[in-house]
Structures are given as structure tokens and as C-alpha cells.
Amino acid sequence: MSTNIPESLKYTSEHEWIEIKGDEALIGITDFAQSSLGDVVYVEVPDLGKSIKAHEPFGVVESIKSVSDLYAPVSGTIVAKNTEVEQKPELLNQDSYKNWLIKIKMTNPNELSALLSATDYKKQVAGK
């Protein structure tokens, strides 16, 4: 399976990506995740102002095959959510990197050091 893994992002072993922008970050699911899920039919993410903790579930993505929890790469407070993806979950299948899920203000940037680089994530999805 060919997988798009941008070098500029960090990754979780649960297949979320994070793009750092100062003390804020965009979070979404990886191309590998959306292709493994199949047709995404439902996305649920928390409301603005909600705090999330690193490694804990913060939402749900549902496909025709399964329901999967979304795990926070780092801790923070939600400052934006992509309501377009909530209304049209199939956008994740079209481009899972353009169609982010939430934007957070990070509360502990040191947690970034625990995330996977693109190289390490590629090894994980290749099963190495």
C-alpha cells in the first residue's frame, strides 16, 4: 500500500499527525489511517475550549468497516475544529493532511519529543 507521509509532520503510533505552528498545532489522521479505515462516514471531535491530554482519546472516526478512537499527540486546549470535516467526513478519504480535525494551543511542547518522525512512522506502517 502506497502511503503519503509528509516529512514536515510528527506522528503517533495510533496514526494521527500533528503540524506545529508556534505554540499551536493542527491534528488529523494519516493517509495510512484513512486508507485502512476505508470510507469514512462520521467524525466526532470535541468543542472549542475543551482540554485534551497526550495519549488519551479526544474523538472518534467511523468508517463502513469500524469505529476508531482518535488519540491526542500532545496536551492542549482546542482553539478550532474543522466543522467541514464533521459535515463531510469523506473529505478525510480525499486528503487526510489538508483536512485536519482540530487545532490546539499546546500546554506542554516537551511532549513533542515523544512523537515519531516521518522516517520512524514509515518504518512502523511498513511493519519494520
Side-chain angles (χ1 to χ4, degrees):
M1 171 169 44
S2 171
T3 301
N4 177 14
I5 302 174
E7 291 289 329
S8 60
L9 306 176
K10 293 279 199 180
Y11 300 88
T12 68
S13 55
E14 293 85 17
H15 311 291
E16 288 82 20
W17 59 262
I18 181 168
E19 180 180 3
I20 312 308
K21 295 184 176 201
D23 64 348
E24 295 186 335
L26 293 176
I27 298 171
I29 66 168
T30 66
D31 186 50
F32 178 86
Q34 72 78 21
S35 64
S36 298
L37 285 166
D39 294 336
V40 176
V41 296
Y42 179 75
V43 173
E44 180 182 343
V45 296
D47 290 327
L48 303 185
K50 176 149 175 46
S51 292
I52 61 173
K53 289 196 181 346
H55 316 295
E56 292 187 5
F58 71 85
V60 173
V61 61
E62 187 175 329
S63 72
I64 55 173
K65 293 185 196 175
S66 67
V67 177
S68 299
D69 284 331
L70 298 164
Y71 290 90
V74 294
S75 301
T77 303
I78 297 174
V79 294
K81 67 180 193 170
N82 192 339
T83 54
E84 187 179 13
V85 169
E86 282 188 309
Q87 293 163 3
K88 298 179 189 164
E90 66 276 8
L91 291 172
L92 290 176
N93 293 118
Q94 294 168 19
D95 187 336
S96 64
Y97 296 110
K98 186 177 106 185
N99 294 297
W100 53 276
L101 298 172
I102 59 172
K103 181 178 186 179
I104 65 166
K105 184 170 180 68
M106 294 184 287
T107 53
N108 187 357
N110 293 335
E111 293 169 340
L112 293 168
S113 64
L115 298 175
L116 300 170
S117 67
T119 302
D120 291 336
Y121 184 68
K122 282 176 191 165
K123 288 177 185 169
Q124 178 187 310
V125 298
K128 296 178 182 167

